[in-house]
Amino acid sequence: MIQDLVPVALHPYLALAALLLCFVGLSRRPQAADAVVLGCLVLLLVTGTVPLERGLAGFSNPGVITIATLFVVAAGLRDSGAMHVLGTRLLRAPRSERHAQWMVTGPVSVLSAFVNNTPIVALYLPLVRDWADRYGLTPSRLLMPLSFAAIAGGTISLLGSATNLVANSALRAAVPEDPGLGFLEQAWIGVPLTLLLIAYLLVFGRLIPVRKPPNERLADARRYSVEMVIDRGGPLVGRTVSDAGLRQLAGLFLSEVIRGQEVIAPVEPSTRLQADDRLVFFGDPSNISDLLRISGISPPSDKLFSLDAPGRSRHLAEAVISTRSPLVGKRVRDSGFRQTYDAAIIAVSRDGAQLSGRIGDIVFEPGDTLILDCALSFTSRFSSSRDFLLVRSLDGDQVPARQRPALALAATAA
C-alpha cells in the first residue's frame, strides 16, 4: 500500500502541499472545482495523511445530504417550469431601478429562508437577466443585490444556507445530547439583518458600477422571424404590449400581431393583447430562447409547432435547407415537417430579410435557416442528411418544460 511507504513525518507537508494544490487548481480551473477538490482528497487518502474513515465522513454528513436533497428539489422547480411561473409573477414591470431592486431582493430573501440559497441564486440568475434585458435595466445593479439578498435571507432559517446545515451537524456531532439548532432559532438575528441589508441596497444601490455583460457583441447577421401565440387564460390576455414587456425584448422586435384575418402592423405599445393573437417577432437568434421562457406566450399549438408531451426533453437546434432538400418549394404548413423530422419550427431566417405573415405560409427556399424545437438526437440523426446543409445544437438554449408546476411547488412546500 502507498500509505505504508510514506513516512508519518511527511504527512504535515503533504497536507500543506494538497492545500496549496487545491488553491492553485481552483484559481486556474474554477469550472472543474469538483475534480480539483476530490483529486486533493484522493492524494491525502492514498498517502495515509488522512484516515479513510475521516476522509469519507463528510459524504455521510446529514448536513451535506440535506444540501444535496435541496438541489434536487430546486432542479424540480426549474425543470417543471415552476420557477419560471413564479419568477414571472414576481418580476412585473418596474417603475424605476430602485423598484426593480426591491422586486428582486424582497422575494429572493424570503425564498432563501426556506430553500437553500445557492440553488435559488442559480435559478434566479437567468430570470433576472432576461427581465433586465426586457425592460432596459442594468443587469449588474440587479445581480449583485440578488446575491446579497440570498446570503442575508439564508441566515433566517436552518435550511437557508449550507453553512447553517454543516454547522448544525458539527454541533450535534460534538455534543450528542444537544438537540441542535431549531428551524427558526436564528431568525431573531437573520430577519433584522436582512431588512437592514435590503434597505442599504435600496438607498445605495445606485453606487453599484454599470457593467456590460461579456456576451454583448455585434448582432448576428442572420435575423429570424418568430411566431408565438397568446395563451388562453394566460397572464398576458388583456394587457397592453408595453405592460406585457414585449416592446423591450433585447434583440427582438414585435413586427406584427395577427388577429384572425386582421394584421396589425406597426404594433403600438398601447395595443391590447387578446387570446389566440399570433405575434410575429423579428431579430437576433440568440434571444429566441429568452422569448420562449416568457409565461403566457408559446409556439402555435397546431401540428406544425406543438411538441409538448409529458417527459419530453426539449432542445433547440439550427438547420439550413439544402438545394436538394425535398422541402424546397413547399409551404411550411403542407410540408409534413413535424411528422417527418419529429421537430417543430420555431423561427425562420432568409438572407437577414424580415418575413411577413404566419410561418406556416412561408414557402421553403434553399438556404433558409430554421430554428427547431426538437429532441437532442435530432442533430446526430440529420447532421449528414441531404435535406440540410448544417445541423447544430444551440448550447444553453434548452427550453424549460411547463409540466405540473403546481405539483413541483407543492412538493417543495412539503
Side-chain angles (χ1 to χ4, degrees):
M1 298 294 288
I2 297 178
Q3 54 263 44
D4 297 332
L5 302 177
V6 179
V8 176
L10 292 180
H11 287 176
Y13 301 102
L14 288 172
L16 180 60
L19 185 62
L20 292 175
L21 284 174
C22 188
F23 279 126
V24 172
L26 291 176
S27 62
R28 298 289 298 273
R29 297 291 299 276
Q31 69 275 16
D34 51 348
V36 171
V37 173
L38 288 176
C40 292
L41 174 61
V42 169
L43 173 63
L44 295 174
L45 291 176
V46 299
T47 58
T49 305
V50 175
L52 184 63
E53 296 77 10
R54 295 287 301 275
L56 301 180
F59 294 101
S60 61
N61 186 292
V64 175
I65 295 175
T66 304
I67 295 167
T69 304
L70 290 174
F71 271 97
V72 175
V73 172
L77 287 174
R78 178 196 64 212
D79 295 341
S80 67
M83 198 63 195
H84 286 278
V85 172
L86 189 62
T88 52
R89 291 182 182 276
L90 295 174
L91 299 177
R92 302 285 186 174
R95 294 189 296 270
S96 62
E97 185 177 74
R98 181 175 295 177
H99 184 221
Q101 291 173 337
W102 162 247
M103 293 173 72
V104 170
T105 55
V108 165
S109 60
V110 174
L111 288 171
S112 296
F114 301 99
V115 180
N116 188 266
N117 55 10
T118 302
I120 287 295
V121 172
L123 291 170
Y124 244 86
L125 275 173
L127 291 177
V128 172
R129 280 199 300 260
D130 298 344
W131 186 58
D133 289 340
R134 195 179 314 153
Y135 290 100
L137 302 170
T138 303
S140 62
R141 290 190 175 178
L142 298 176
L143 296 179
M144 187 175 287
L146 163 67
S147 176
F148 289 159
I151 294 172
T155 64
I156 295 176
S157 76
L158 178 63
L159 292 182
S161 170
T163 306
N164 301 344
L165 292 168
V166 173
N168 184 57
S169 295
L171 171 64
R172 297 183 65 179
V175 188
E177 63 274 11
D178 193 299
L181 298 174
F183 182 71
L184 292 174
E185 185 171 338
Q186 57 207 45
W188 67 278
I189 296 177
V191 171
L193 176 66
T194 302
L195 294 175
L196 182 63
L197 174 71
I198 292 176
Y200 178 85
L201 290 172
L202 295 180
V203 173
F204 297 102
R206 68 186 67 181
L207 300 179
I208 298 174
V210 175
R211 302 185 186 278
K212 293 184 179 181
N215 61 348
E216 278 194 1
R217 54 190 182 275
L218 294 176
D220 197 310
R222 292 165 298 169
R223 314 294 287 178
Y224 282 84
S225 293
V226 191
E227 184 179 346
M228 305 293 285
V229 174
I230 299 295
D231 297 336
R232 292 185 180 183
L236 301 186
V237 175
R239 300 177 67 180
T240 65
V241 170
S242 178
D243 291 341
L246 300 178
R247 293 285 293 183
Q248 299 90 355
L249 292 170
L252 289 171
F253 170 68
L254 179 57
S255 58
E256 295 177 352
V257 174
I258 303 174
R259 183 172 297 161
Q261 301 301 317
E262 179 187 5
V263 178
I264 302 174
V267 182
E268 299 295 333
S270 58
T271 301
R272 201 163 292 276
L273 301 170
Q274 298 181 11
D276 297 327
D277 279 354
R278 295 197 173 219
L279 312 180
V280 180
F281 295 87
F282 182 70
D284 188 348
S286 63
N287 299 99
I288 291 176
S289 59
D290 298 338
L291 181 63
L292 294 171
R293 293 188 178 100
I294 298 176
S295 179
I297 63 175
S298 57
S301 57
D302 51 32
K303 291 183 179 180
L304 174 66
F305 295 92
S306 179
L307 283 177
D308 288 331
R312 180 184 177 89
S313 178
R314 303 175 65 193
H315 301 267
L316 295 186
E318 187 177 47
V320 180
I321 303 295
S322 72
T323 55
R324 297 189 298 168
S325 173
L327 298 171
V328 173
K330 294 182 180 179
R331 273 201 322 169
V332 173
R333 190 178 308 281
D334 302 328
S335 65
F337 193 95
R338 178 180 179 272
Q339 292 79 3
T340 303
Y341 303 104
D342 190 28
I345 299 174
I346 298 295
V348 180
S349 173
R350 180 176 297 163
D351 297 328
Q354 181 171 343
L355 301 175
S356 180
R358 292 180 171 91
I359 289 181
D361 296 329
I362 295 173
V363 177
F364 284 119
E365 294 184 6
D368 284 353
T369 306
L370 314 176
I371 288 185
L372 307 174
D373 180 2
C374 57
L376 185 60
S377 61
F378 179 89
T379 54
S380 59
R381 286 189 293 128
F382 295 102
S383 59
S384 301
S385 171
R386 72 185 185 96
D387 298 354
F388 305 105
L389 292 170
L390 168 71
V391 178
R392 68 184 182 98
S393 294
L394 299 180
D395 296 332
D397 286 342
Q398 286 74 20
V399 184
R402 296 180 184 177
Q403 300 165 9
R404 302 179 180 177
L407 181 60
L409 289 172
T412 303

